[in-house]
């Protein structure tokens, strides 16, 4: 099993939200409002804080970088990288203390 397939299997087992490794999603998340283009490893759309914790834990275990994303309106490529993008804009828009 490749490292990417292993990561996908682990994320799908623990994350209740969306886990996306498909090419179309990675292409869509390869940019923000800047000119930067970096194809991410995958995109996770968490449903809860537990999904974020699980994603970070699985990535940390494999030395895979993570990158948080909100609206993706950054102008200097802050949300573009070869990483697992965690997109909070769909379900985690409120402050959670
Ligand atoms: C047309 C236009 C006009 C703009 N005008 C302004 C302006 O007047 N003033 C201004 O300041 N900016 C402006 N911006 C830039 C941008 O909109 C702001 O920087 C905005 O705050 C980014 O919010 P976002 O949710 O899109 O963040 P994103 O672009 O998704 O992320 C911004 C940074 O925050 C981090 N991040 C996102 N979510 C989280 C999270 N949950 N936890 C931890 N880190 C997180 C990301 O990793 C990234 O580093 C403009 C952009 C555009 C396209």
């Amino acid at each position: 099993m490749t490292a990417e397939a292993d990561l996908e299997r682990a994320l799908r087992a623990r994350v209740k939200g969306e886990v996306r490794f498909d090419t179309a999603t990675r292409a869509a998340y390869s940019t923000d409002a800047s000119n930067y283009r970096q194809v991410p490893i995958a995109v996770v759309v968490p449903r809860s804080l537990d999904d974020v914790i699980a994603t970070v834990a699985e990535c940390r275990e494999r030395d895979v970088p993570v990158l948080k994303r909100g609206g993706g309106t950054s102008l200097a490529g802050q949300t573009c990288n070869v990483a697992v993008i965690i997109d909070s804009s769909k379900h985690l828009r409120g402050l959670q203390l």
Side-chain angles (χ1 to χ4, degrees):
M1 182 183 291
T2 64
E4 196 173 292
D6 175 55
L7 175 63
E8 182 171 2
R9 179 198 50 75
L11 290 174
R12 290 195 189 285
R14 290 190 62 186
V15 173
K16 298 207 173 30
E18 299 159 40
V19 174
R20 304 188 195 163
F21 279 73
D22 60 286
T23 308
T25 299
R26 294 165 67 203
Y29 281 82
S30 66
T31 186
D32 51 20
S34 72
N35 281 336
Y36 290 86
R37 299 272 182 286
Q38 297 273 355
V39 180
I41 296 165
V43 176
V44 169
V45 183
R47 270 196 172 278
S48 66
L49 213 46
D50 286 341
D51 279 355
V52 178
I53 293 166
T55 303
V56 173
E58 293 299 338
C59 290
R60 186 185 52 222
E61 220 167 277
R62 292 166 178 79
D63 268 341
V64 173
V66 294
L67 178 60
K68 293 296 310 252
R69 184 173 170 134
T73 63
S74 286
L75 295 167
Q78 291 95 319
T79 58
C80 302
N81 214 329
V82 183
V84 171
I85 292 184
I86 303 173
D87 178 1
S88 311
S89 67
K90 194 169 179 181
H91 303 297
L92 300 180
R93 291 195 298 259
L95 281 180
Q96 298 204 2
L97 301 173

